[in-house]
Amino acid sequence: MSRADDGIVVVGGGLAGLRCAEALRKRGYDGRVRLICGEHEAPYDRPPLSKELSRTPAFLREAGWYPDNDVELVLGRPAKALEPARRTVTLAGEEAIGYEKLLIATGAGARPLPLLSGFENALPLRTVADARALGAILAPGVRLVVVGAGFIGQEVASAARRVGASVTIVEALELPLAGLLGVDVGRRLVRMHREEGVKVILSAQITAAHGDSHVEELELATGERVGCDAVVVGVGVAPAAGWLAGTGLDPSGVLTDPAGRTSIPDVFAAGDVSRPFDEVQGRHVRTEHWEAASRQGTAAAAAMLGDSPQKPPPPSFWSDQHGHRLQYVGHADIADEVRIDGDPDARDFSALYLRRGRPVAGLALDRPREIAAIRRCIADSNRPAPNTKETDR
Ligand SMILES: Cc1cc2nc3c(=O)[nH]c(=O)nc-3n(C[C@H](O)[C@H](O)[C@H](O)COP(=O)(O)OP(=O)(O)OC[C@H]3O[C@@H](n4cnc5c(N)ncnc54)[C@H](O)[C@@H]3O)c2cc1C
């Protein structure tokens, strides 16, 4: 049973967890706040890991912020279990700590590729420890294979080219991200990588991995063999929800209302581990983006203190590749039409996604003002859509 001084426990020292702790103090909460971190580092930012292959953590707050704000950091002690009936979380080392209110903010972990498990040079990229392991291998001329051309895979390919590595992307789809962003955008991204010297193999099925402790060659269904000194596996992430077994919470994304409340009293969830109800789409949606994790952590703090969070803006993210900034806003997955503006041969374009003629999403390369206009357009259904050329979805 919780005691009055158990206060608020935040499990997961990432962006969502930190934002919750910050918002609790900003709102004047003066009870105990504990931030339980599975990693040995205080909360840090993940985007620099793939954009800069950064080996030192980009801390979200300097060390003094935690004592100054009376936030207790518990490092390197992952939560092992949640017992809602006793209001306790058990940490590694079997210590059980009580809570009055709890935030689940354990993020997500990289999905493994069974064919590559056990090889020392086949790495995920989710943590600073992963970035250090990759950085120790990468050097000019090193052959890096990136499996999966999602945003993180594409960013790693771009950053590895900058250090002079010889990079191959192996992607199972005909075009990367085409299901979400459309074939035209997928083609432009592939062209950009190829122009930068990245070999891109599409519609590729990996059938075998050869090597002893280190993978040396990937074999594809076509019989092609791709030699490698290192492999980055970027085939998506799964919620870090294993420690919630037995609670009834959904391991494929903890369901919450728009404020982050779960079905368990006084238990909230935010960030990549959560699947909040999205009022625009009328369903629970898991978002693996920085802006959403930040906003959801703040919203959960408001809900814990009895306030209603503001209506969320449309989801958005950015990605940096080969010196260009790609920005996205909205819900392209519900679009039935894409309009592209910009020369297909130039790295300067925007895409407007419409549903029944109304803008629902936008994407732009190096056009921040256009993204801002599209964002306003999505929010204001009476505003005319920016003028763009129609293209296939
Ligand atoms: C390499 C990379 C690049 C990215 N780039 C972009 C980008 O350009 N734009 C964008 O919008 N988004 C980007 N993202 C996504 C964005 O960083 C995430 O959406 C965001 O970090 C999610 O925050 P979170 O707090 O939910 O989870 P996380 O940041 O994953 O934090 C969760 C924390 O909980 C810890 N944890 C896990 N299990 C336990 C446990 N049992 N007990 C205690 N602690 C635990 C984890 O170790 C981690 O420290 C990127 C992500 C990565 C990995």
Side-chain angles (χ1 to χ4, degrees), residues 14-16 38-39 46 50-51 79 106-107 126 271-272 289-290 318:
L15 179 63
E39 293 176 64
R46 293 183 200 277
S50 51
K51 291 166 184 65
T106 42
R126 181 78 198 176
D272 286 8
H289 301 317
W290 195 99
W318 79 99

Side-chain angles (χ1 to χ4, degrees), residues 10-19 35-51 60 74 76-81 89-92 104-110 124-127 130-131 151-153 155-156 237 239-244 270-274 286-294 296-297 316-320 325-326:
V10 175
V11 181
L15 179 63
L18 176 68
R19 288 289 185 262
L35 189 48
I36 311 297
C37 305
E39 293 176 64
H40 292 275
E41 284 82 11
Y44 61 88
D45 220 9
R46 293 183 200 277
L49 300 179
S50 51
K51 291 166 184 65
L60 290 162
V74 180
R77 303 276 307 278
K80 295 286 182 201
V89 173
T90 305
L91 306 187
I104 298 167
T106 42
L125 187 57
R126 181 78 198 176
T127 65
D130 298 334
F151 283 112
I152 290 179
E155 288 184 348
V156 171
V237 297
W243 65 284
L244 301 171
D272 286 8
V273 74
S274 71
R286 208 166 71 76
T287 317
E288 296 159 8
H289 301 317
W290 195 99
E291 180 277 330
S294 172
Q296 290 164 6
S316 62
F317 65 79
W318 79 99
S319 177
D320 294 335
R325 173 150 289 194
L326 198 73

